Amino acid sequence: FHDTNMPASTINAVSNITNTGNIFASAGNVDLNSVSGNFINSGTINSALSNVNFNTAQAASIANINLTNAGGSILANNGSINFRTTDFMDKADLKITGGSLSANTVELNGGRGEVEVNVDNLGGTVNSSAYVVKLAAASDITIGNTTANGDPTIVSTTGNVTLAGNQITGGAPLSVIAYGDIITAPGITIQTNGGEVFMASGVNIQDTGATWTITGPASPNGGLLDLRGVTTFSTSGATGGNVTL
């Protein structure tokens, strides 16, 4: 697609959906449905007043979703960017690479699969639900509710991480790493049910492929680690998990 400008926009495809121009909805949703689950965006996808929705067609509801967003921008500054719906419980992965996502909320639904995000900018409150959640951005990140039975990992390579919602794992470790500060909103819960908690602020971090590697401090004074907003902090489970801050 090159350019579309309508009150609302729905695009259905059997194969890939590729956008190199501008898809703009002035009033309603932008709905993108691909049977293959493959989306490629190097342009702009924008819902001015509502949501941008990525999904697979009903016949392929358990297909993986792969969004290649290098050089692209996805905007829903008065709504949400939704990947699947919140009731999705099948095993299918969600992978997002490159570019910028900006909305009031970003909803990442991986069911019993894996959510993996590595982008330039992740703007808005990010809510995630999957077996494994891996979120990384070269920007400030605000994390809403995270639910993952596997290992949730949250990384900001250039900015701060704000934990604004509950971080719940089913016995797996929780890792939060920031170049800048890690701060928490009031009233949140961190509960790992036996998993370890690792948090590091004010550090340089590099993507080495399968893992993130801390290479040293980001500044002589390090970063702020402020957990005063946490109401419940628990690693209790069948075995108690270590806490490393």
Side-chain angles (χ1 to χ4, degrees), residues 24 105 110 117-118 137 156 162 189 200 213-214 219-220 228 233 239 243:
F24 179 74
T105 63
V117 177
N118 192 342
S156 172
T162 299
T189 293
T213 301
I214 295 174
S219 70
R228 287 176 294 177
F233 192 127
T239 59
V243 176

Side-chain angles (χ1 to χ4, degrees), residues 118-137:
N118 192 342
V119 296
D120 301 323
N121 177 67
L122 192 53
T125 300
V126 182
N127 298 306
S128 306
S129 178
Y131 184 77
V132 175
V133 173
K134 300 177 181 178
L135 306 179

Side-chain angles (χ1 to χ4, degrees), residues 151-154 167 169 172-176 190 192 195-199:
D151 304 357
T153 302
I154 299 161
Q167 311 302 304
T169 81
L174 167 67
S175 299
V176 183
I190 297 174
T192 62
E196 298 182 358
V197 174
F198 176 83
M199 294 187 182

Side-chain angles (χ1 to χ4, degrees), residues 19-21 40-45 68-74 97-100 120:
N19 175 54
T20 59
I40 302 167
N41 178 51
S42 59
T44 300
I45 302 171
T68 302
N69 194 44
S73 180
I74 302 169
T97 54
S100 175
D120 301 323

Side-chain angles (χ1 to χ4, degrees), residues 122 124 126 135-137 139-143 154-156 159-163:
L122 192 53
V126 182
L135 306 179
S139 67
D140 292 341
I141 308 174
T142 299
I143 302 297
I154 299 161
V155 175
S156 172
N160 304 321
V161 174
T162 299
L163 300 179

Side-chain angles (χ1 to χ4, degrees), residues 102-113:
S102 180
N104 277 345
T105 63
V106 179
E107 306 288 341
L108 307 172
N109 301 297
R112 292 179 289 110

Side-chain angles (χ1 to χ4, degrees), residues 135-138 153-159 161 175-180 198 200-208 211-218:
L135 306 179
T153 302
I154 299 161
V155 175
S156 172
T157 59
T158 64
V161 174
S175 299
V176 183
I177 307 169
Y179 177 88
F198 176 83
S201 59
V203 295
N204 283 312
I205 184 167
Q206 292 183 349
D207 185 357
T208 57
T211 60
W212 291 92
T213 301
I214 295 174
T215 59

Side-chain angles (χ1 to χ4, degrees), residues 11-17 33-36 57:
I11 299 170
N12 299 311
V14 173
S15 187
N16 301 346
I17 293 179
N33 303 294
S34 166
V35 173
S36 72

